[in-house]
Amino acid sequence: PKSWVEDSWFLHPGYTYTLIHFSSDDPPLDLLKAEALAGWWKVDFLGKTEFYKVTEKGTAKTSNRRPKKASENIYPVESSAYWFMDKAGKVTFIWRATGHVVVWTPKVGGGGYAGEMDGTAVMTVTRLF
């Protein structure tokens, strides 16, 4: 018998797709670490500066315009991402438009993150607010 649920889907030309696999043994998000991550960050890489607005709910957006205060909304939005955190606090951003994978690893002794894009350690990550 035919199902009433339409479950066929297609990849369309002109769009980019990122497929992310989740396993049943993936750790749940640590809410305290997520709240500590939330805020504005300055990211310098390859001679370019971007500003990330990270939420505690697992999303991030980037802009080339420096924010003036913590409560400022991001504008204009250059790109958006989803982020995931492992038990050690390593944060992985999956940027939707480009497919770039950005990883922030906590610095030993605290004090922020060391960053890399697509496996190359090229980022300086600094909290703004």
Side-chain angles (χ1 to χ4, degrees):
K2 185 170 174 132
S3 171
W4 63 273
V5 177
E6 178 57 51
D7 63 354
S8 60
W9 57 278
F10 304 93
L11 299 179
H12 299 282
Y15 290 91
T16 57
Y17 298 87
T18 301
L19 302 177
I20 304 169
H21 175 80
F22 295 96
S23 296
S24 61
D25 62 348
D26 286 345
L29 182 62
D30 181 322
L31 297 178
L32 291 176
K33 288 181 182 176
E35 288 174 3
L37 179 67
W40 279 99
W41 296 83
K42 178 183 172 195
V43 179
D44 294 303
F45 64 102
L46 300 176
K48 181 178 174 184
T49 299
E50 291 184 342
F51 301 94
Y52 287 15
K53 175 83 181 233
V54 180
T55 74
E56 69 277 0
K57 297 184 188 252
T59 62
K61 294 181 179 179
T62 185
S63 177
N64 294 323
R65 191 172 72 91
R66 184 184 186 97
K68 293 180 178 73
K69 57 186 176 179
S71 61
E72 188 172 338
N73 287 326
I74 193 163
Y75 180 81
V77 173
E78 302 295 329
S79 188
S80 61
Y82 293 103
W83 64 262
F84 309 91
M85 185 182 293
D86 69 9
K87 288 181 182 179
K90 181 172 74 173
V91 183
T92 301
F93 296 86
I94 310 292
W95 290 98
R96 296 179 64 200
T98 62
H100 288 301
V101 177
V102 171
V103 177
W104 291 1
T105 304
K107 290 183 179 176
V108 177
Y113 295 90
E116 64 181 51
M117 179 186 292
D118 300 331
T120 303
V122 295
M123 294 185 158
T124 302
V125 180
T126 308
R127 175 179 282 287
L128 294 177
F129 317 107

PDB file of all heavy atoms in Angstrom, residues 70-102:
ATOM      1  N   ALA A  70      27.358  44.315  23.339  1.00  0.00           N
ATOM      2  CA  ALA A  70      26.987  42.901  23.404  1.00  0.00           C
ATOM      3  C   ALA A  70      25.578  42.628  22.898  1.00  0.00           C
ATOM      4  O   ALA A  70      25.322  41.595  22.277  1.00  0.00           O
ATOM      5  CB  ALA A  70      27.123  42.401  24.841  1.00  0.00           C
ATOM      6  N   SER A  71      24.658  43.539  23.124  1.00  0.00           N
ATOM      7  CA  SER A  71      23.264  43.313  22.742  1.00  0.00           C
ATOM      8  C   SER A  71      22.980  43.605  21.270  1.00  0.00           C
ATOM      9  O   SER A  71      21.866  43.387  20.800  1.00  0.00           O
ATOM     10  CB  SER A  71      22.351  44.175  23.611  1.00  0.00           C
ATOM     11  OG  SER A  71      22.652  45.551  23.408  1.00  0.00           O
ATOM     12  N   GLU A  72      23.968  44.080  20.559  1.00  0.00           N
ATOM     13  CA  GLU A  72      23.768  44.441  19.150  1.00  0.00           C
ATOM     14  C   GLU A  72      23.443  43.214  18.307  1.00  0.00           C
ATOM     15  O   GLU A  72      24.073  42.164  18.440  1.00  0.00           O
ATOM     16  CB  GLU A  72      25.034  45.118  18.617  1.00  0.00           C
ATOM     17  CG  GLU A  72      24.880  45.696  17.235  1.00  0.00           C
ATOM     18  CD  GLU A  72      26.097  46.521  16.836  1.00  0.00           C
ATOM     19  OE1 GLU A  72      26.836  46.983  17.713  1.00  0.00           O
ATOM     20  OE2 GLU A  72      26.294  46.702  15.634  1.00  0.00           O
ATOM     21  N   ASN A  73      22.452  43.352  17.436  1.00  0.00           N
ATOM     22  CA  ASN A  73      22.126  42.295  16.490  1.00  0.00           C
ATOM     23  C   ASN A  73      23.132  42.318  15.353  1.00  0.00           C
ATOM     24  O   ASN A  73      23.680  43.362  15.023  1.00  0.00           O
ATOM     25  CB  ASN A  73      20.711  42.454  15.936  1.00  0.00           C
ATOM     26  CG  ASN A  73      19.655  42.114  16.952  1.00  0.00           C
ATOM     27  OD1 ASN A  73      19.858  41.222  17.777  1.00  0.00           O
ATOM     28  ND2 ASN A  73      18.555  42.820  16.922  1.00  0.00           N
ATOM     29  N   ILE A  74      23.329  41.187  14.743  1.00  0.00           N
ATOM     30  CA  ILE A  74      24.299  41.089  13.666  1.00  0.00           C
ATOM     31  C   ILE A  74      23.694  41.634  12.370  1.00  0.00           C
ATOM     32  O   ILE A  74      22.580  41.296  12.012  1.00  0.00           O
ATOM     33  CB  ILE A  74      24.802  39.641  13.510  1.00  0.00           C
ATOM     34  CG1 ILE A  74      26.020  39.590  12.622  1.00  0.00           C
ATOM     35  CG2 ILE A  74      23.721  38.707  13.044  1.00  0.00           C
ATOM     36  CD1 ILE A  74      26.792  38.307  12.739  1.00  0.00           C
ATOM     37  N   TYR A  75      24.438  42.536  11.734  1.00  0.00           N
ATOM     38  CA  TYR A  75      23.988  43.108  10.461  1.00  0.00           C
ATOM     39  C   TYR A  75      25.184  43.697   9.736  1.00  0.00           C
ATOM     40  O   TYR A  75      25.964  44.406  10.353  1.00  0.00           O
ATOM     41  CB  TYR A  75      22.936  44.195  10.701  1.00  0.00           C
ATOM     42  CG  TYR A  75      22.451  44.796   9.413  1.00  0.00           C
ATOM     43  CD1 TYR A  75      21.485  44.156   8.663  1.00  0.00           C
ATOM     44  CD2 TYR A  75      23.009  45.974   8.922  1.00  0.00           C
ATOM     45  CE1 TYR A  75      21.066  44.697   7.459  1.00  0.00           C
ATOM     46  CE2 TYR A  75      22.599  46.504   7.731  1.00  0.00           C
ATOM     47  CZ  TYR A  75      21.614  45.865   6.996  1.00  0.00           C
ATOM     48  OH  TYR A  75      21.200  46.382   5.814  1.00  0.00           O
ATOM     49  N   PRO A  76      25.369  43.460   8.488  1.00  0.00           N
ATOM     50  CA  PRO A  76      24.622  42.476   7.701  1.00  0.00           C
ATOM     51  C   PRO A  76      25.137  41.071   7.986  1.00  0.00           C
ATOM     52  O   PRO A  76      26.296  40.883   8.358  1.00  0.00           O
ATOM     53  CB  PRO A  76      24.945  42.870   6.269  1.00  0.00           C
ATOM     54  CG  PRO A  76      26.310  43.478   6.340  1.00  0.00           C
ATOM     55  CD  PRO A  76      26.369  44.159   7.685  1.00  0.00           C
ATOM     56  N   VAL A  77      24.275  40.072   7.816  1.00  0.00           N
ATOM     57  CA  VAL A  77      24.663  38.679   8.002  1.00  0.00           C
ATOM     58  C   VAL A  77      25.373  38.217   6.738  1.00  0.00           C
ATOM     59  O   VAL A  77      24.821  38.284   5.645  1.00  0.00           O
ATOM     60  CB  VAL A  77      23.434  37.791   8.274  1.00  0.00           C
ATOM     61  CG1 VAL A  77      23.835  36.321   8.304  1.00  0.00           C
ATOM     62  CG2 VAL A  77      22.751  38.206   9.566  1.00  0.00           C
ATOM     63  N   GLU A  78      26.612  37.796   6.891  1.00  0.00           N
ATOM     64  CA  GLU A  78      27.387  37.299   5.754  1.00  0.00           C
ATOM     65  C   GLU A  78      27.133  35.807   5.542  1.00  0.00           C
ATOM     66  O   GLU A  78      27.066  35.339   4.418  1.00  0.00           O
ATOM     67  CB  GLU A  78      28.878  37.540   5.978  1.00  0.00           C
ATOM     68  CG  GLU A  78      29.258  38.989   6.201  1.00  0.00           C
ATOM     69  CD  GLU A  78      29.002  39.881   4.997  1.00  0.00           C
ATOM     70  OE1 GLU A  78      29.095  39.401   3.857  1.00  0.00           O
ATOM     71  OE2 GLU A  78      28.684  41.065   5.216  1.00  0.00           O
ATOM     72  N   SER A  79      27.022  35.057   6.645  1.00  0.00           N
ATOM     73  CA  SER A  79      26.819  33.618   6.567  1.00  0.00           C
ATOM     74  C   SER A  79      26.248  33.127   7.889  1.00  0.00           C
ATOM     75  O   SER A  79      26.314  33.826   8.897  1.00  0.00           O
ATOM     76  CB  SER A  79      28.146  32.911   6.268  1.00  0.00           C
ATOM     77  OG  SER A  79      27.938  31.540   6.003  1.00  0.00           O
ATOM     78  N   SER A  80      25.702  31.925   7.876  1.00  0.00           N
ATOM     79  CA  SER A  80      25.177  31.335   9.109  1.00  0.00           C
ATOM     80  C   SER A  80      25.666  29.902   9.238  1.00  0.00           C
ATOM     81  O   SER A  80      26.038  29.259   8.257  1.00  0.00           O
ATOM     82  CB  SER A  80      23.646  31.394   9.125  1.00  0.00           C
ATOM     83  OG  SER A  80      23.118  30.670   8.040  1.00  0.00           O
ATOM     84  N   ALA A  81      25.669  29.420  10.489  1.00  0.00           N
ATOM     85  CA  ALA A  81      26.206  28.087  10.769  1.00  0.00           C
ATOM     86  C   ALA A  81      25.429  27.443  11.901  1.00  0.00           C
ATOM     87  O   ALA A  81      24.713  28.100  12.657  1.00  0.00           O
ATOM     88  CB  ALA A  81      27.678  28.195  11.165  1.00  0.00           C
ATOM     89  N   TYR A  82      25.617  26.137  12.009  1.00  0.00           N
ATOM     90  CA  TYR A  82      25.221  25.392  13.188  1.00  0.00           C
ATOM     91  C   TYR A  82      26.507  24.984  13.878  1.00  0.00           C
ATOM     92  O   TYR A  82      27.514  24.732  13.221  1.00  0.00           O
ATOM     93  CB  TYR A  82      24.409  24.144  12.809  1.00  0.00           C
ATOM     94  CG  TYR A  82      23.075  24.492  12.218  1.00  0.00           C
ATOM     95  CD1 TYR A  82      22.865  24.413  10.850  1.00  0.00           C
ATOM     96  CD2 TYR A  82      22.024  24.920  13.026  1.00  0.00           C
ATOM     97  CE1 TYR A  82      21.647  24.748  10.305  1.00  0.00           C
ATOM     98  CE2 TYR A  82      20.798  25.253  12.479  1.00  0.00           C
ATOM     99  CZ  TYR A  82      20.611  25.163  11.117  1.00  0.00           C
ATOM    100  OH  TYR A  82      19.402  25.498  10.581  1.00  0.00           O
ATOM    101  N   TRP A  83      26.497  24.937  15.196  1.00  0.00           N
ATOM    102  CA  TRP A  83      27.687  24.509  15.908  1.00  0.00           C
ATOM    103  C   TRP A  83      27.346  23.369  16.849  1.00  0.00           C
ATOM    104  O   TRP A  83      26.214  23.224  17.296  1.00  0.00           O
ATOM    105  CB  TRP A  83      28.376  25.657  16.641  1.00  0.00           C
ATOM    106  CG  TRP A  83      27.608  26.309  17.745  1.00  0.00           C
ATOM    107  CD1 TRP A  83      26.877  27.467  17.665  1.00  0.00           C
ATOM    108  CD2 TRP A  83      27.501  25.868  19.104  1.00  0.00           C
ATOM    109  NE1 TRP A  83      26.326  27.761  18.875  1.00  0.00           N
ATOM    110  CE2 TRP A  83      26.690  26.794  19.773  1.00  0.00           C
ATOM    111  CE3 TRP A  83      27.998  24.787  19.811  1.00  0.00           C
ATOM    112  CZ2 TRP A  83      26.365  26.673  21.124  1.00  0.00           C
ATOM    113  CZ3 TRP A  83      27.688  24.651  21.144  1.00  0.00           C
ATOM    114  CH2 TRP A  83      26.884  25.599  21.786  1.00  0.00           C
ATOM    115  N   PHE A  84      28.383  22.563  17.112  1.00  0.00           N
ATOM    116  CA  PHE A  84      28.261  21.389  17.958  1.00  0.00           C
ATOM    117  C   PHE A  84      29.466  21.362  18.885  1.00  0.00           C
ATOM    118  O   PHE A  84      30.544  21.799  18.502  1.00  0.00           O
ATOM    119  CB  PHE A  84      28.227  20.114  17.102  1.00  0.00           C
ATOM    120  CG  PHE A  84      27.201  20.203  16.005  1.00  0.00           C
ATOM    121  CD1 PHE A  84      27.546  20.702  14.755  1.00  0.00           C
ATOM    122  CD2 PHE A  84      25.899  19.837  16.236  1.00  0.00           C
ATOM    123  CE1 PHE A  84      26.597  20.816  13.756  1.00  0.00           C
ATOM    124  CE2 PHE A  84      24.944  19.947  15.232  1.00  0.00           C
ATOM    125  CZ  PHE A  84      25.294  20.436  13.990  1.00  0.00           C
ATOM    126  N   MET A  85      29.285  20.839  20.108  1.00  0.00           N
ATOM    127  CA  MET A  85      30.361  20.835  21.093  1.00  0.00           C
ATOM    128  C   MET A  85      30.539  19.426  21.646  1.00  0.00           C
ATOM    129  O   MET A  85      29.551  18.768  21.987  1.00  0.00           O
ATOM    130  CB  MET A  85      30.022  21.796  22.231  1.00  0.00           C
ATOM    131  CG  MET A  85      31.127  21.975  23.253  1.00  0.00           C
ATOM    132  SD  MET A  85      30.672  23.066  24.627  1.00  0.00           S
ATOM    133  CE  MET A  85      30.529  24.643  23.820  1.00  0.00           C
ATOM    134  N   ASP A  86      31.810  18.976  21.754  1.00  0.00           N
ATOM    135  CA  ASP A  86      32.057  17.672  22.353  1.00  0.00           C
ATOM    136  C   ASP A  86      32.266  17.828  23.863  1.00  0.00           C
ATOM    137  O   ASP A  86      32.226  18.941  24.396  1.00  0.00           O
ATOM    138  CB  ASP A  86      33.227  16.951  21.669  1.00  0.00           C
ATOM    139  CG  ASP A  86      34.589  17.587  21.924  1.00  0.00           C
ATOM    140  OD1 ASP A  86      34.706  18.509  22.775  1.00  0.00           O
ATOM    141  OD2 ASP A  86      35.549  17.164  21.269  1.00  0.00           O
ATOM    142  N   LYS A  87      32.480  16.724  24.551  1.00  0.00           N
ATOM    143  CA  LYS A  87      32.616  16.744  26.011  1.00  0.00           C
ATOM    144  C   LYS A  87      33.788  17.592  26.486  1.00  0.00           C
ATOM    145  O   LYS A  87      33.752  18.172  27.563  1.00  0.00           O
ATOM    146  CB  LYS A  87      32.775  15.320  26.542  1.00  0.00           C
ATOM    147  CG  LYS A  87      31.519  14.511  26.481  1.00  0.00           C
ATOM    148  CD  LYS A  87      31.750  13.127  27.053  1.00  0.00           C
ATOM    149  CE  LYS A  87      30.484  12.305  26.938  1.00  0.00           C
ATOM    150  NZ  LYS A  87      30.672  10.952  27.462  1.00  0.00           N
ATOM    151  N   ALA A  88      34.848  17.663  25.685  1.00  0.00           N
ATOM    152  CA  ALA A  88      36.030  18.435  26.060  1.00  0.00           C
ATOM    153  C   ALA A  88      35.860  19.928  25.799  1.00  0.00           C
ATOM    154  O   ALA A  88      36.733  20.722  26.127  1.00  0.00           O
ATOM    155  CB  ALA A  88      37.256  17.922  25.306  1.00  0.00           C
ATOM    156  N   GLY A  89      34.752  20.336  25.190  1.00  0.00           N
ATOM    157  CA  GLY A  89      34.506  21.748  24.908  1.00  0.00           C
ATOM    158  C   GLY A  89      34.948  22.192  23.529  1.00  0.00           C
ATOM    159  O   GLY A  89      34.873  23.375  23.206  1.00  0.00           O
ATOM    160  N   LYS A  90      35.418  21.259  22.686  1.00  0.00           N
ATOM    161  CA  LYS A  90      35.792  21.607  21.317  1.00  0.00           C
ATOM    162  C   LYS A  90      34.511  21.907  20.537  1.00  0.00           C
ATOM    163  O   LYS A  90      33.554  21.158  20.580  1.00  0.00           O
ATOM    164  CB  LYS A  90      36.557  20.458  20.653  1.00  0.00           C
ATOM    165  CG  LYS A  90      36.988  20.779  19.237  1.00  0.00           C
ATOM    166  CD  LYS A  90      37.910  19.713  18.668  1.00  0.00           C
ATOM    167  CE  LYS A  90      37.117  18.491  18.320  1.00  0.00           C
ATOM    168  NZ  LYS A  90      37.903  17.470  17.626  1.00  0.00           N
ATOM    169  N   VAL A  91      34.513  23.043  19.837  1.00  0.00           N
ATOM    170  CA  VAL A  91      33.330  23.512  19.121  1.00  0.00           C
ATOM    171  C   VAL A  91      33.565  23.369  17.614  1.00  0.00           C
ATOM    172  O   VAL A  91      34.591  23.819  17.107  1.00  0.00           O
ATOM    173  CB  VAL A  91      33.035  24.999  19.454  1.00  0.00           C
ATOM    174  CG1 VAL A  91      31.767  25.470  18.768  1.00  0.00           C
ATOM    175  CG2 VAL A  91      32.955  25.199  20.952  1.00  0.00           C
ATOM    176  N   THR A  92      32.598  22.757  16.932  1.00  0.00           N
ATOM    177  CA  THR A  92      32.676  22.602  15.482  1.00  0.00           C
ATOM    178  C   THR A  92      31.537  23.382  14.847  1.00  0.00           C
ATOM    179  O   THR A  92      30.371  23.154  15.168  1.00  0.00           O
ATOM    180  CB  THR A  92      32.583  21.119  15.075  1.00  0.00           C
ATOM    181  OG1 THR A  92      33.652  20.398  15.695  1.00  0.00           O
ATOM    182  CG2 THR A  92      32.668  20.951  13.567  1.00  0.00           C
ATOM    183  N   PHE A  93      31.882  24.330  13.965  1.00  0.00           N
ATOM    184  CA  PHE A  93      30.902  25.114  13.217  1.00  0.00           C
ATOM    185  C   PHE A  93      30.816  24.540  11.804  1.00  0.00           C
ATOM    186  O   PHE A  93      31.844  24.320  11.167  1.00  0.00           O
ATOM    187  CB  PHE A  93      31.341  26.579  13.095  1.00  0.00           C
ATOM    188  CG  PHE A  93      31.429  27.323  14.390  1.00  0.00           C
ATOM    189  CD1 PHE A  93      32.580  27.276  15.160  1.00  0.00           C
ATOM    190  CD2 PHE A  93      30.363  28.089  14.832  1.00  0.00           C
ATOM    191  CE1 PHE A  93      32.678  27.976  16.347  1.00  0.00           C
ATOM    192  CE2 PHE A  93      30.451  28.802  16.022  1.00  0.00           C
ATOM    193  CZ  PHE A  93      31.604  28.738  16.785  1.00  0.00           C
ATOM    194  N   ILE A  94      29.615  24.354  11.304  1.00  0.00           N
ATOM    195  CA  ILE A  94      29.399  23.952   9.919  1.00  0.00           C
ATOM    196  C   ILE A  94      28.724  25.148   9.238  1.00  0.00           C
ATOM    197  O   ILE A  94      27.562  25.457   9.513  1.00  0.00           O
ATOM    198  CB  ILE A  94      28.483  22.712   9.802  1.00  0.00           C
ATOM    199  CG1 ILE A  94      28.949  21.577  10.711  1.00  0.00           C
ATOM    200  CG2 ILE A  94      28.358  22.288   8.348  1.00  0.00           C
ATOM    201  CD1 ILE A  94      30.244  20.933  10.331  1.00  0.00           C
ATOM    202  N   TRP A  95      29.474  25.831   8.365  1.00  0.00           N
ATOM    203  CA  TRP A  95      28.955  27.034   7.706  1.00  0.00           C
ATOM    204  C   TRP A  95      28.125  26.633   6.500  1.00  0.00           C
ATOM    205  O   TRP A  95      28.575  25.899   5.618  1.00  0.00           O
ATOM    206  CB  TRP A  95      30.101  27.983   7.339  1.00  0.00           C
ATOM    207  CG  TRP A  95      30.672  28.561   8.586  1.00  0.00           C
ATOM    208  CD1 TRP A  95      31.774  28.145   9.259  1.00  0.00           C
ATOM    209  CD2 TRP A  95      30.104  29.619   9.358  1.00  0.00           C
ATOM    210  NE1 TRP A  95      31.939  28.886  10.409  1.00  0.00           N
ATOM    211  CE2 TRP A  95      30.927  29.793  10.498  1.00  0.00           C
ATOM    212  CE3 TRP A  95      28.981  30.432   9.215  1.00  0.00           C
ATOM    213  CZ2 TRP A  95      30.670  30.751  11.476  1.00  0.00           C
ATOM    214  CZ3 TRP A  95      28.730  31.390  10.183  1.00  0.00           C
ATOM    215  CH2 TRP A  95      29.565  31.543  11.293  1.00  0.00           C
ATOM    216  N   ARG A  96      26.880  27.084   6.476  1.00  0.00           N
ATOM    217  CA  ARG A  96      25.906  26.622   5.493  1.00  0.00           C
ATOM    218  C   ARG A  96      26.247  27.023   4.059  1.00  0.00           C
ATOM    219  O   ARG A  96      26.175  26.203   3.159  1.00  0.00           O
ATOM    220  CB  ARG A  96      24.522  27.143   5.870  1.00  0.00           C
ATOM    221  CG  ARG A  96      24.060  26.562   7.204  1.00  0.00           C
ATOM    222  CD  ARG A  96      22.723  27.082   7.605  1.00  0.00           C
ATOM    223  NE  ARG A  96      21.726  26.648   6.640  1.00  0.00           N
ATOM    224  CZ  ARG A  96      20.552  27.232   6.485  1.00  0.00           C
ATOM    225  NH1 ARG A  96      20.224  28.261   7.209  1.00  0.00           N
ATOM    226  NH2 ARG A  96      19.699  26.775   5.599  1.00  0.00           N
ATOM    227  N   ALA A  97      26.588  28.255   3.812  1.00  0.00           N
ATOM    228  CA  ALA A  97      26.782  28.725   2.434  1.00  0.00           C
ATOM    229  C   ALA A  97      28.036  28.143   1.786  1.00  0.00           C
ATOM    230  O   ALA A  97      28.047  27.844   0.606  1.00  0.00           O
ATOM    231  CB  ALA A  97      26.822  30.250   2.388  1.00  0.00           C
ATOM    232  N   THR A  98      29.092  27.993   2.579  1.00  0.00           N
ATOM    233  CA  THR A  98      30.375  27.575   2.016  1.00  0.00           C
ATOM    234  C   THR A  98      30.700  26.109   2.270  1.00  0.00           C
ATOM    235  O   THR A  98      31.533  25.529   1.580  1.00  0.00           O
ATOM    236  CB  THR A  98      31.525  28.403   2.621  1.00  0.00           C
ATOM    237  OG1 THR A  98      31.556  28.159   4.036  1.00  0.00           O
ATOM    238  CG2 THR A  98      31.351  29.877   2.324  1.00  0.00           C
ATOM    239  N   GLY A  99      30.091  25.526   3.310  1.00  0.00           N
ATOM    240  CA  GLY A  99      30.426  24.165   3.693  1.00  0.00           C
ATOM    241  C   GLY A  99      31.708  24.077   4.501  1.00  0.00           C
ATOM    242  O   GLY A  99      32.141  22.987   4.874  1.00  0.00           O
ATOM    243  N   HIS A 100      32.329  25.234   4.804  1.00  0.00           N
ATOM    244  CA  HIS A 100      33.553  25.214   5.598  1.00  0.00           C
ATOM    245  C   HIS A 100      33.270  24.637   6.979  1.00  0.00           C
ATOM    246  O   HIS A 100      32.209  24.853   7.561  1.00  0.00           O
ATOM    247  CB  HIS A 100      34.130  26.614   5.778  1.00  0.00           C
ATOM    248  CG  HIS A 100      34.748  27.180   4.550  1.00  0.00           C
ATOM    249  ND1 HIS A 100      35.802  26.578   3.885  1.00  0.00           N
ATOM    250  CD2 HIS A 100      34.473  28.302   3.856  1.00  0.00           C
ATOM    251  CE1 HIS A 100      36.132  27.297   2.843  1.00  0.00           C
ATOM    252  NE2 HIS A 100      35.340  28.357   2.790  1.00  0.00           N
ATOM    253  N   VAL A 101      34.244  23.906   7.481  1.00  0.00           N
ATOM    254  CA  VAL A 101      34.184  23.380   8.837  1.00  0.00           C
ATOM    255  C   VAL A 101      35.220  24.133   9.658  1.00  0.00           C
ATOM    256  O   VAL A 101      36.411  24.103   9.354  1.00  0.00           O
ATOM    257  CB  VAL A 101      34.472  21.863   8.861  1.00  0.00           C
ATOM    258  CG1 VAL A 101      34.486  21.345  10.292  1.00  0.00           C
ATOM    259  CG2 VAL A 101      33.451  21.117   8.019  1.00  0.00           C
ATOM    260  N   VAL A 102      34.751  24.846  10.660  1.00  0.00           N
ATOM    261  CA  VAL A 102      35.614  25.623  11.549  1.00  0.00           C
ATOM    262  C   VAL A 102      35.582  24.947  12.915  1.00  0.00           C
ATOM    263  O   VAL A 102      34.510  24.650  13.441  1.00  0.00           O
ATOM    264  CB  VAL A 102      35.135  27.087  11.647  1.00  0.00           C
ATOM    265  CG1 VAL A 102      35.887  27.837  12.726  1.00  0.00           C
ATOM    266  CG2 VAL A 102      35.275  27.776  10.297  1.00  0.00           C
TER     267      VAL A 102
END
